[in-house]
Coordinates of all heavy atoms in Angstrom, one line a residue:
M29 N 20.3 -8.7 -40.3 CA 20.4 -8.4 -38.9 C 21.7 -8.7 -38.3 O 22.2 -9.8 -38.5 CB 19.3 -9.1 -38.1 CG 18.8 -8.4 -36.9 SD 17.7 -9.4 -35.9 CE 16.1 -8.7 -36.2
K30 N 22.3 -7.8 -37.5 CA 23.6 -8.1 -36.9 C 23.5 -9.1 -35.8 O 22.4 -9.3 -35.1 CB 24.2 -6.8 -36.3 CG 24.6 -5.8 -37.3 CD 25.2 -4.6 -36.7 CE 25.6 -3.6 -37.7 NZ 26.2 -2.4 -37.1
L31 N 24.6 -9.8 -35.5 CA 24.6 -10.8 -34.4 C 24.3 -10.2 -33.0 O 23.6 -10.8 -32.2 CB 26.0 -11.5 -34.4 CG 26.1 -12.7 -33.5 CD1 25.1 -13.7 -33.8 CD2 27.5 -13.2 -33.6
S32 N 24.7 -8.9 -32.8 CA 24.5 -8.3 -31.5 C 23.0 -8.0 -31.4 O 22.4 -8.1 -30.3 CB 25.3 -7.0 -31.3 OG 24.9 -6.1 -32.4
N33 N 22.3 -7.6 -32.4 CA 20.9 -7.4 -32.4 C 20.1 -8.7 -32.1 O 19.1 -8.6 -31.3 CB 20.4 -6.8 -33.7 CG 20.9 -5.4 -33.9 OD1 21.3 -4.7 -33.0 ND2 20.8 -4.9 -35.2
I34 N 20.5 -9.8 -32.6 CA 19.9 -11.1 -32.4 C 20.1 -11.4 -30.9 O 19.1 -11.9 -30.2 CB 20.5 -12.2 -33.3 CG1 20.1 -11.9 -34.7 CG2 20.0 -13.5 -32.8 CD1 20.8 -12.8 -35.7
G35 N 21.3 -11.2 -30.3 CA 21.5 -11.4 -28.9 C 20.6 -10.6 -28.0 O 20.1 -11.1 -27.0
V36 N 20.5 -9.3 -28.3 CA 19.6 -8.5 -27.5 C 18.2 -8.9 -27.6 O 17.5 -9.0 -26.6 CB 19.8 -7.0 -28.0 CG1 18.7 -6.1 -27.4 CG2 21.2 -6.5 -27.7
T37 N 17.7 -9.3 -28.8 CA 16.4 -9.7 -29.0 C 16.1 -11.0 -28.2 O 15.1 -11.1 -27.5 CB 16.1 -10.0 -30.5 OG1 16.3 -8.8 -31.2 CG2 14.6 -10.4 -30.7
L38 N 17.0 -11.9 -28.2 CA 16.8 -13.2 -27.5 C 16.9 -12.9 -25.9 O 16.1 -13.5 -25.2 CB 17.9 -14.2 -27.9 CG 17.8 -14.8 -29.2 CD1 19.0 -15.7 -29.6 CD2 16.5 -15.6 -29.3
T39 N 17.7 -12.0 -25.5 CA 17.8 -11.7 -24.1 C 16.5 -11.1 -23.6 O 15.9 -11.4 -22.5 CB 18.9 -10.7 -23.8 OG1 20.2 -11.3 -24.3 CG2 19.1 -10.4 -22.3
L40 N 15.9 -10.1 -24.4 CA 14.7 -9.5 -24.0 C 13.5 -10.5 -24.0 O 12.7 -10.5 -23.1 CB 14.3 -8.4 -24.9 CG 15.2 -7.1 -24.8 CD1 14.9 -6.1 -25.9 CD2 15.0 -6.5 -23.4
A41 N 13.5 -11.4 -25.0 CA 12.4 -12.4 -25.0 C 12.5 -13.4 -23.8 O 11.5 -13.7 -23.2 CB 12.6 -13.2 -26.3
T42 N 13.7 -13.8 -23.5 CA 13.9 -14.6 -22.3 C 13.5 -13.9 -21.0 O 12.8 -14.5 -20.1 CB 15.4 -15.0 -22.2 OG1 15.8 -15.7 -23.4 CG2 15.6 -16.0 -21.0
A43 N 13.8 -12.6 -20.9 CA 13.4 -11.9 -19.7 C 11.9 -11.8 -19.6 O 11.3 -11.9 -18.5 CB 14.0 -10.5 -19.7
L44 N 11.2 -11.5 -20.7 CA 9.8 -11.4 -20.7 C 9.1 -12.7 -20.3 O 8.1 -12.8 -19.6 CB 9.2 -10.9 -22.1 CG 9.5 -9.5 -22.4 CD1 9.1 -9.2 -23.8 CD2 8.8 -8.6 -21.4
V45 N 9.6 -13.8 -20.9 CA 9.1 -15.1 -20.5 C 9.3 -15.4 -19.0 O 8.4 -15.9 -18.4 CB 9.7 -16.2 -21.4 CG1 9.4 -17.6 -20.9 CG2 9.3 -16.1 -22.8
G46 N 10.4 -15.1 -18.5 CA 10.7 -15.3 -17.1 C 9.8 -14.5 -16.2 O 9.3 -15.0 -15.2
I47 N 9.6 -13.3 -16.5 CA 8.7 -12.4 -15.7 C 7.3 -12.9 -15.8 O 6.6 -13.0 -14.7 CB 8.8 -11.0 -16.2 CG1 10.2 -10.4 -15.8 CG2 7.7 -10.1 -15.6 CD1 10.5 -9.0 -16.5
S48 N 6.8 -13.3 -16.9 CA 5.4 -13.7 -17.0 C 5.2 -15.1 -16.3 O 4.2 -15.3 -15.7 CB 5.0 -13.8 -18.5 OG 5.7 -14.8 -19.2
S49 N 6.2 -15.9 -16.3 CA 6.1 -17.2 -15.6 C 6.1 -17.0 -14.1 O 5.4 -17.7 -13.4 CB 7.2 -18.2 -16.0 OG 8.4 -17.8 -15.6
Y50 N 6.9 -16.0 -13.6 CA 6.9 -15.7 -12.2 C 5.5 -15.2 -11.8 O 5.0 -15.6 -10.8 CB 7.9 -14.7 -11.9 CG 7.9 -14.2 -10.5 CD1 8.4 -15.1 -9.5 CD2 7.4 -13.0 -10.1 CE1 8.3 -14.7 -8.1 CE2 7.4 -12.6 -8.8 CZ 7.8 -13.4 -7.8 OH 7.8 -13.0 -6.5
A51 N 4.9 -14.3 -12.6 CA 3.6 -13.7 -12.3 C 2.5 -14.9 -12.3 O 1.7 -14.9 -11.5 CB 3.2 -12.7 -13.3
G52 N 2.6 -15.8 -13.2 CA 1.7 -16.9 -13.2 C 1.8 -17.7 -12.0 O 0.8 -18.2 -11.5
D53 N 3.0 -18.0 -11.5 CA 3.1 -18.8 -10.3 C 2.5 -18.1 -9.1 O 1.9 -18.6 -8.2 CB 4.6 -19.1 -10.0 CG 5.2 -20.0 -11.0 OD1 4.5 -20.7 -11.7 OD2 6.5 -20.1 -11.0
H54 N 2.7 -16.8 -9.0 CA 2.2 -16.0 -7.9 C 0.7 -16.0 -7.9 O 0.1 -16.1 -6.9 CB 2.7 -14.5 -8.0 CG 2.3 -13.7 -6.9 ND1 2.7 -13.9 -5.6 CD2 1.4 -12.6 -6.8 CE1 2.2 -13.0 -4.8 NE2 1.4 -12.2 -5.5
R55 N 0.0 -15.8 -9.0 CA -1.4 -15.9 -9.1 C -1.9 -17.3 -8.7 O -2.9 -17.4 -8.0 CB -1.9 -15.6 -10.5 CG -1.9 -14.1 -10.8 CD -2.6 -13.9 -12.1 NE -1.9 -14.6 -13.2 CZ -1.3 -14.0 -14.1 NH1 -1.2 -12.7 -14.2 NH2 -0.7 -14.8 -15.1
G56 N -1.3 -18.3 -9.1 CA -1.7 -19.7 -8.8 C -1.6 -19.9 -7.3 O -2.4 -20.6 -6.7
E57 N -0.5 -19.4 -6.7 CA -0.3 -19.6 -5.3 C -1.4 -18.9 -4.4 O -1.9 -19.5 -3.5 CB 1.0 -18.9 -4.9 CG 1.4 -19.1 -3.4 CD 2.7 -18.5 -3.1 OE1 3.7 -18.7 -3.8 OE2 2.8 -17.7 -2.1
S58 N -1.9 -17.8 -4.9 CA -2.9 -17.1 -4.1 C -4.3 -17.8 -4.1 O -5.1 -17.7 -3.2 CB -3.1 -15.6 -4.6 OG -3.6 -15.6 -5.9
K59 N -4.5 -18.6 -5.2 CA -5.7 -19.4 -5.2 C -5.6 -20.8 -4.6 O -6.6 -21.5 -4.4 CB -6.1 -19.6 -6.7 CG -6.5 -18.3 -7.4 CD -6.8 -18.6 -8.8 CE -7.2 -17.2 -9.5 NZ -7.4 -17.4 -10.9
D60 N -4.4 -21.1 -4.2 CA -4.2 -22.4 -3.5 C -4.9 -22.5 -2.2 O -4.7 -21.6 -1.3 CB -2.7 -22.6 -3.4 CG -2.3 -24.0 -3.0 OD1 -3.2 -24.9 -2.8 OD2 -1.1 -24.3 -2.8
R61 N -5.6 -23.5 -1.9 CA -6.4 -23.7 -0.7 C -5.5 -23.8 0.5 O -5.9 -23.5 1.6 CB -7.4 -24.8 -0.8 CG -8.4 -24.6 -1.9 CD -9.8 -25.0 -1.4 NE -10.7 -24.9 -2.5 CZ -11.5 -23.9 -2.6 NH1 -11.5 -22.9 -1.8 NH2 -12.4 -23.9 -3.6
R62 N -4.3 -24.4 0.3 CA -3.4 -24.6 1.5 C -3.0 -23.2 2.1 O -2.7 -23.2 3.3 CB -2.2 -25.3 1.1 CG -2.4 -26.8 0.7 CD -1.2 -27.4 0.2 NE -0.9 -26.9 -1.1 CZ 0.3 -26.9 -1.6 NH1 1.3 -27.4 -1.0 NH2 0.5 -26.4 -2.8
H63 N -3.0 -22.2 1.3 CA -2.6 -20.9 1.8 C -3.8 -20.0 2.3 O -3.6 -18.9 2.7 CB -1.8 -20.1 0.8 CG -0.5 -20.7 0.5 ND1 -0.4 -21.7 -0.5 CD2 0.7 -20.6 1.0 CE1 0.9 -22.1 -0.6 NE2 1.5 -21.4 0.4
A64 N -5.0 -20.6 2.3 CA -6.2 -19.8 2.7 C -6.1 -19.3 4.1 O -6.6 -18.2 4.4 CB -7.4 -20.6 2.4
A65 N -5.5 -20.1 5.0 CA -5.5 -19.8 6.4 C -4.3 -18.9 6.8 O -4.1 -18.5 7.9 CB -5.5 -21.0 7.3
A66 N -3.4 -18.7 5.8 CA -2.2 -17.9 6.1 C -2.5 -16.5 6.1 O -3.5 -16.0 5.6 CB -1.1 -18.2 5.0
G67 N -1.6 -15.7 6.7 CA -1.8 -14.3 6.8 C -2.0 -13.8 8.2 O -1.9 -14.6 9.2
M68 N -2.4 -12.6 8.3 CA -2.6 -12.0 9.7 C -3.8 -12.7 10.4 O -4.9 -12.8 9.8 CB -2.9 -10.5 9.6 CG -1.7 -9.7 9.2 SD -0.5 -9.6 10.5 CE 0.8 -8.7 9.8
Q69 N -3.6 -13.0 11.6 CA -4.7 -13.6 12.4 C -4.9 -12.7 13.6 O -4.0 -12.2 14.2 CB -4.3 -15.0 12.9 CG -4.0 -16.0 11.9 CD -5.2 -16.4 11.1 OE1 -6.3 -16.6 11.6 NE2 -5.1 -16.5 9.8
A70 N -6.2 -12.4 13.9 CA -6.5 -11.6 15.1 C -6.2 -12.3 16.4 O -6.4 -13.5 16.5 CB -8.0 -11.2 15.1
I71 N -5.6 -11.6 17.3 CA -5.3 -12.1 18.6 C -6.3 -11.6 19.6 O -6.5 -10.4 19.8 CB -3.9 -11.6 19.1 CG1 -2.8 -11.9 18.0 CG2 -3.5 -12.2 20.4 CD1 -2.6 -13.4 17.8
A72 N -7.0 -12.5 20.3 CA -8.0 -12.2 21.3 C -7.4 -11.6 22.5 O -6.5 -12.2 23.1 CB -8.9 -13.4 21.6
V73 N -7.9 -10.5 23.0 CA -7.4 -9.9 24.3 C -8.6 -9.6 25.1 O -9.6 -9.0 24.7 CB -6.6 -8.6 24.0 CG1 -6.2 -7.9 25.3 CG2 -5.4 -8.8 23.1
S74 N -8.5 -10.0 26.4 CA -9.7 -9.9 27.3 C -9.4 -8.8 28.4 O -9.7 -9.1 29.5 CB -10.1 -11.2 27.9 OG -9.0 -11.7 28.6
A75 N -8.8 -7.7 28.0 CA -8.5 -6.7 29.0 C -9.8 -5.9 29.3 O -10.5 -5.5 28.4 CB -7.5 -5.7 28.4
Q76 N -10.0 -5.7 30.6 CA -11.2 -5.0 31.0 C -10.9 -3.4 31.0 O -9.7 -3.0 31.0 CB -11.5 -5.4 32.5 CG -11.8 -6.9 32.6 CD -13.0 -7.3 31.8 OE1 -14.0 -6.6 31.7 NE2 -12.9 -8.4 31.1
P77 N -11.9 -2.6 31.0 CA -11.7 -1.2 31.0 C -10.8 -0.8 32.2 O -10.9 -1.3 33.3 CB -13.1 -0.6 31.2 CG -14.0 -1.6 30.6 CD -13.3 -2.9 30.9
G78 N -9.8 0.1 31.9 CA -8.8 0.5 32.9 C -7.6 -0.4 33.0 O -6.6 0.0 33.6
E79 N -7.6 -1.5 32.3 CA -6.4 -2.4 32.3 C -5.6 -2.1 31.1 O -6.1 -1.7 30.0 CB -6.8 -3.9 32.3 CG -7.5 -4.4 33.5 CD -7.9 -5.8 33.4 OE1 -7.9 -6.4 32.3 OE2 -8.2 -6.4 34.5
P80 N -4.3 -2.3 31.1 CA -3.4 -2.2 29.9 C -3.9 -3.1 28.8 O -4.3 -4.2 29.0 CB -2.0 -2.6 30.4 CG -2.1 -2.5 31.9 CD -3.5 -2.7 32.3
G81 N -3.9 -2.5 27.6 CA -4.4 -3.3 26.4 C -5.8 -3.2 26.1 O -6.3 -3.6 25.1
H82 N -6.6 -2.5 27.0 CA -8.0 -2.4 26.7 C -8.2 -1.4 25.5 O -7.7 -0.4 25.4 CB -8.8 -1.8 27.9 CG -10.2 -1.5 27.6 ND1 -11.1 -2.6 27.5 CD2 -10.9 -0.4 27.4 CE1 -12.3 -2.0 27.2 NE2 -12.2 -0.7 27.2
G83 N -9.0 -1.9 24.5 CA -9.3 -1.1 23.3 C -8.3 -1.3 22.2 O -8.5 -0.8 21.1
W84 N -7.2 -1.9 22.5 CA -6.1 -2.2 21.5 C -6.5 -3.4 20.7 O -7.1 -4.4 21.2 CB -4.8 -2.3 22.1 CG -4.2 -1.1 22.7 CD1 -4.7 -0.4 23.8 CD2 -3.1 -0.3 22.2 NE1 -4.0 0.7 24.0 CE2 -3.0 0.8 23.1 CE3 -2.3 -0.5 21.2 CZ2 -2.0 1.8 22.9 CZ3 -1.3 0.5 21.0 CH2 -1.2 1.6 21.8
R85 N -6.1 -3.5 19.4 CA -6.3 -4.7 18.6 C -5.0 -5.2 18.1 O -4.1 -4.4 17.7 CB -7.2 -4.3 17.4 CG -8.6 -4.0 17.9 CD -9.5 -3.7 16.7 NE -9.1 -2.5 16.0 CZ -9.6 -2.0 14.9 NH1 -10.5 -2.7 14.3 NH2 -9.1 -0.9 14.3
Y86 N -4.8 -6.5 18.2 CA -3.6 -7.2 17.9 C -3.8 -8.2 16.7 O -4.7 -9.0 16.8 CB -3.0 -7.9 19.1 CG -2.8 -7.0 20.3 CD1 -3.9 -6.8 21.2 CD2 -1.6 -6.3 20.5 CE1 -3.7 -5.9 22.3 CE2 -1.5 -5.5 21.6 CZ -2.5 -5.3 22.5 OH -2.3 -4.5 23.6
F87 N -2.8 -8.2 15.8 CA -2.8 -9.2 14.7 C -1.4 -9.7 14.5 O -0.4 -8.9 14.7 CB -3.3 -8.5 13.4 CG -4.6 -7.9 13.5 CD1 -4.7 -6.5 14.0 CD2 -5.8 -8.6 13.2 CE1 -6.0 -5.9 14.1 CE2 -7.0 -8.0 13.3 CZ -7.1 -6.6 13.8
S88 N -1.3 -11.0 14.2 CA 0.1 -11.5 13.9 C 0.1 -12.5 12.8 O -1.0 -13.1 12.5 CB 0.7 -12.1 15.2 OG 0.2 -13.4 15.4
D89 N 1.2 -12.7 12.2 CA 1.5 -13.7 11.2 C 2.7 -14.4 11.6 O 3.8 -14.0 11.4 CB 1.6 -13.1 9.8 CG 1.8 -14.1 8.7 OD1 2.0 -15.3 9.0 OD2 1.8 -13.7 7.5
A90 N 2.6 -15.6 12.3 CA 3.7 -16.3 12.9 C 4.6 -16.8 11.8 O 5.8 -16.9 12.0 CB 3.2 -17.4 13.8
R91 N 4.1 -17.2 10.6 CA 4.9 -17.8 9.6 C 5.9 -16.8 9.0 O 7.0 -17.1 8.7 CB 4.0 -18.2 8.4 CG 3.3 -19.5 8.6 CD 2.5 -19.8 7.4 NE 2.0 -21.2 7.5 CZ 1.3 -21.8 6.6 NH1 1.1 -21.2 5.4 NH2 0.8 -23.0 6.8
K92 N 5.5 -15.5 9.0 CA 6.4 -14.5 8.4 C 7.0 -13.6 9.5 O 7.6 -12.6 9.2 CB 5.7 -13.6 7.4 CG 5.3 -14.5 6.2 CD 4.8 -13.6 5.1 CE 4.4 -14.5 3.9 NZ 3.8 -13.7 2.8
A93 N 6.7 -13.9 10.8 CA 7.3 -13.2 12.0 C 7.0 -11.7 11.8 O 7.9 -10.9 11.9 CB 8.8 -13.4 12.1
R94 N 5.7 -11.4 11.7 CA 5.3 -10.0 11.7 C 4.0 -9.8 12.5 O 3.3 -10.7 12.7 CB 5.1 -9.5 10.2 CG 4.1 -10.3 9.5 CD 4.0 -9.9 8.0 NE 3.0 -10.7 7.4 CZ 2.5 -10.4 6.2 NH1 2.9 -9.4 5.6 NH2 1.6 -11.2 5.7
A95 N 3.8 -8.5 12.9 CA 2.6 -8.2 13.7 C 2.2 -6.8 13.5 O 3.0 -6.0 13.1 CB 3.0 -8.4 15.2
V96 N 0.9 -6.6 13.7 CA 0.3 -5.2 13.6 C -0.5 -5.0 14.9 O -1.2 -5.9 15.4 CB -0.6 -5.1 12.4 CG1 -1.4 -3.8 12.4 CG2 0.1 -5.3 11.1
V97 N -0.3 -3.8 15.5 CA -1.1 -3.4 16.7 C -1.7 -2.1 16.4 O -1.1 -1.2 15.8 CB -0.1 -3.3 17.9 CG1 -0.9 -2.8 19.1 CG2 0.6 -4.6 18.2
I98 N -3.0 -2.0 16.7 CA -3.8 -0.8 16.4 C -4.3 -0.2 17.8 O -5.0 -0.9 18.5 CB -5.0 -1.1 15.5 CG1 -4.5 -1.7 14.2 CG2 -5.8 0.2 15.2 CD1 -5.6 -2.2 13.3
S99 N -3.9 1.0 18.0 CA -4.3 1.6 19.3 C -5.8 2.1 19.2 O -6.4 2.2 18.1 CB -3.4 2.8 19.6 OG -3.8 3.9 18.8
P100 N -6.4 2.4 20.4 CA -7.8 3.0 20.4 C -7.9 4.3 19.6 O -9.0 4.6 19.1 CB -8.1 3.2 21.8 CG -7.1 2.3 22.6 CD -5.9 2.2 21.7
N101 N -6.8 5.0 19.4 CA -6.8 6.3 18.7 C -6.6 6.1 17.2 O -6.7 7.0 16.4 CB -5.7 7.2 19.2 CG -6.0 7.7 20.6 OD1 -7.1 7.7 21.0 ND2 -5.0 8.1 21.3
G102 N -6.3 4.8 16.8 CA -6.1 4.5 15.4 C -4.7 4.5 14.9 O -4.4 4.5 13.7
D103 N -3.8 4.6 15.9 CA -2.3 4.5 15.5 C -2.0 3.1 15.1 O -2.4 2.1 15.8 CB -1.5 4.9 16.7 CG -1.7 6.4 17.1 OD1 -2.2 7.2 16.3 OD2 -1.3 6.7 18.3
Y104 N -1.3 2.9 14.0 CA -0.9 1.6 13.6 C 0.6 1.4 13.8 O 1.4 2.2 13.5 CB -1.1 1.5 12.0 CG -2.5 1.1 11.6 CD1 -3.5 2.0 11.9 CD2 -2.8 -0.1 11.0 CE1 -4.8 1.7 11.5 CE2 -4.1 -0.4 10.7 CZ -5.1 0.5 10.9 OH -6.4 0.2 10.5
Y105 N 0.9 0.3 14.5 CA 2.3 -0.1 14.7 C 2.5 -1.4 14.0 O 1.7 -2.3 14.0 CB 2.5 -0.3 16.2 CG 2.3 0.9 17.1 CD1 1.1 1.3 17.5 CD2 3.4 1.7 17.3 CE1 0.9 2.4 18.3 CE2 3.2 2.9 18.1 CZ 2.0 3.2 18.6 OH 1.8 4.4 19.3
Y106 N 3.7 -1.6 13.4 CA 4.1 -2.7 12.6 C 5.4 -3.3 13.1 O 6.3 -2.5 13.5 CB 4.2 -2.4 11.1 CG 4.5 -3.5 10.2 CD1 3.6 -4.5 9.9 CD2 5.8 -3.6 9.7 CE1 3.9 -5.5 9.1 CE2 6.1 -4.7 8.8 CZ 5.1 -5.6 8.5 OH 5.4 -6.7 7.7
S107 N 5.5 -4.6 13.1 CA 6.8 -5.2 13.5 C 7.1 -6.4 12.6 O 6.2 -7.2 12.2 CB 6.7 -5.8 15.0 OG 7.8 -6.6 15.3
R108 N 8.4 -6.4 12.2 CA 8.9 -7.6 11.4 C 9.7 -8.5 12.3 O 10.6 -9.2 11.9 CB 9.8 -7.1 10.3 CG 9.0 -6.3 9.2 CD 9.9 -6.0 8.1 NE 9.2 -5.2 7.1 CZ 9.3 -3.9 6.9 NH1 10.0 -3.2 7.7 NH2 8.6 -3.3 6.0
G109 N 9.4 -8.5 13.6 CA 10.1 -9.4 14.6 C 11.2 -8.6 15.3 O 11.9 -9.2 16.1
D110 N 11.3 -7.3 15.1 CA 12.3 -6.5 15.7 C 11.8 -5.4 16.6 O 12.5 -4.4 16.8 CB 13.3 -6.0 14.7 CG 12.6 -5.2 13.6 OD1 11.4 -5.1 13.6 OD2 13.3 -4.6 12.8
G111 N 10.6 -5.5 17.0 CA 9.9 -4.4 17.8 C 9.0 -3.6 17.0 O 9.0 -3.5 15.8
L112 N 8.0 -3.0 17.7 CA 7.0 -2.3 17.0 C 7.5 -0.9 16.6 O 8.2 -0.2 17.3 CB 5.8 -2.1 18.0 CG 5.0 -3.3 18.3 CD1 4.0 -3.0 19.4 CD2 4.3 -3.9 17.1
Q113 N 7.1 -0.5 15.3 CA 7.4 0.8 14.8 C 6.1 1.5 14.4 O 5.2 0.9 13.8 CB 8.3 0.6 13.5 CG 9.6 -0.1 13.7 CD 10.5 0.7 14.6 OE1 10.6 1.9 14.4 NE2 11.3 0.0 15.4
L114 N 5.9 2.7 14.8 CA 4.8 3.5 14.4 C 4.8 3.8 12.9 O 5.8 4.3 12.4 CB 4.7 4.8 15.2 CG 3.5 5.8 14.8 CD1 2.2 5.1 15.3 CD2 3.8 7.1 15.5
V115 N 3.8 3.3 12.2 CA 3.7 3.5 10.7 C 2.6 4.5 10.3 O 2.6 5.0 9.2 CB 3.6 2.2 10.0 CG1 4.8 1.3 10.2 CG2 2.3 1.4 10.4
F116 N 1.6 4.7 11.2 CA 0.5 5.6 10.9 C 0.0 6.2 12.2 O -0.3 5.4 13.1 CB -0.6 4.9 10.1 CG -1.8 5.7 9.8 CD1 -1.8 6.7 8.8 CD2 -2.9 5.7 10.6 CE1 -2.9 7.5 8.5 CE2 -4.0 6.5 10.3 CZ -4.0 7.4 9.3
R117 N -0.2 7.5 12.2 CA -0.7 8.1 13.4 C -2.2 8.5 13.1 O -2.5 9.3 12.2 CB 0.0 9.3 13.8 CG -0.5 10.0 15.1 CD 0.5 11.0 15.7 NE 1.8 10.4 16.0 CZ 2.1 9.8 17.1 NH1 1.1 9.5 18.0 NH2 3.3 9.4 17.3
G118 N -3.1 7.9 13.9 CA -4.5 8.2 13.7 C -4.9 9.5 14.4 O -4.1 10.1 15.1
T119 N -6.2 9.8 14.3 CA -6.7 11.0 15.0 C -7.4 10.5 16.3 O -8.1 9.6 16.3 CB -7.6 11.8 14.1 OG1 -8.7 10.9 13.7 CG2 -6.9 12.3 12.9
A120 N -7.2 11.2 17.4 CA -7.8 10.9 18.6 C -9.3 11.2 18.6 O -9.7 12.2 18.1 CB -7.1 11.7 19.8
S121 N -10.1 10.3 19.1 CA -11.5 10.5 19.2 C -11.8 11.3 20.4 O -11.3 11.1 21.5 CB -12.2 9.1 19.3 OG -11.9 8.3 18.2
T122 N -12.7 12.3 20.2 CA -13.1 13.1 21.3 C -14.5 13.1 21.5 O -15.3 12.8 20.7 CB -12.6 14.6 21.1 OG1 -13.1 15.1 19.9 CG2 -11.1 14.7 21.2

């Protein structure tokens, strides 16, 4: 076997080990109880009918500075901390 073939083989083996170890860490993190409360949290809104915000649903993840807002029509807005962007247009209920 040539020296260059051995180098390529060792490089590929190292890359595979690195990728599999990263995946293993990710799976272990998701099972960690400390992260169970992380993620999107619903925001309670007490808007009465006719008031702004009535029928809208709000969710935020303060750790990652992101938010989701869902309109009464099903439109989804997403923010990474730089303002809401429409990501999905729902159908209006009639």
Side-chain angles (χ1 to χ4, degrees):
M29 205 189 257
K30 291 184 179 180
L31 187 58
S32 62
N33 290 344
I34 294 172
V36 170
T37 303
L38 289 174
T39 303
L40 289 174
T42 303
L44 288 173
V45 169
I47 291 171
S48 65
S49 68
Y50 175 75
D53 290 345
H54 183 67
R55 281 189 301 248
E57 181 180 313
S58 65
K59 293 179 183 177
D60 190 0
R61 298 222 184 263
R62 290 177 289 156
H63 292 92
M68 290 287 180
Q69 301 291 319
I71 307 297
V73 177
S74 59
Q76 300 299 319
E79 294 180 345
H82 176 72
W84 290 70
R85 294 182 292 171
Y86 303 89
F87 304 88
S88 79
D89 183 353
R91 286 182 170 183
K92 295 188 178 178
R94 59 186 180 163
V96 172
V97 178
I98 305 172
S99 76
N101 294 336
D103 298 339
Y104 278 66
Y105 297 88
Y106 181 74
S107 173
R108 290 186 183 101
D110 57 354
L112 293 171
Q113 302 290 324
L114 179 66
V115 294
F116 177 78
R117 183 166 302 278
T119 57
S121 303
T122 57

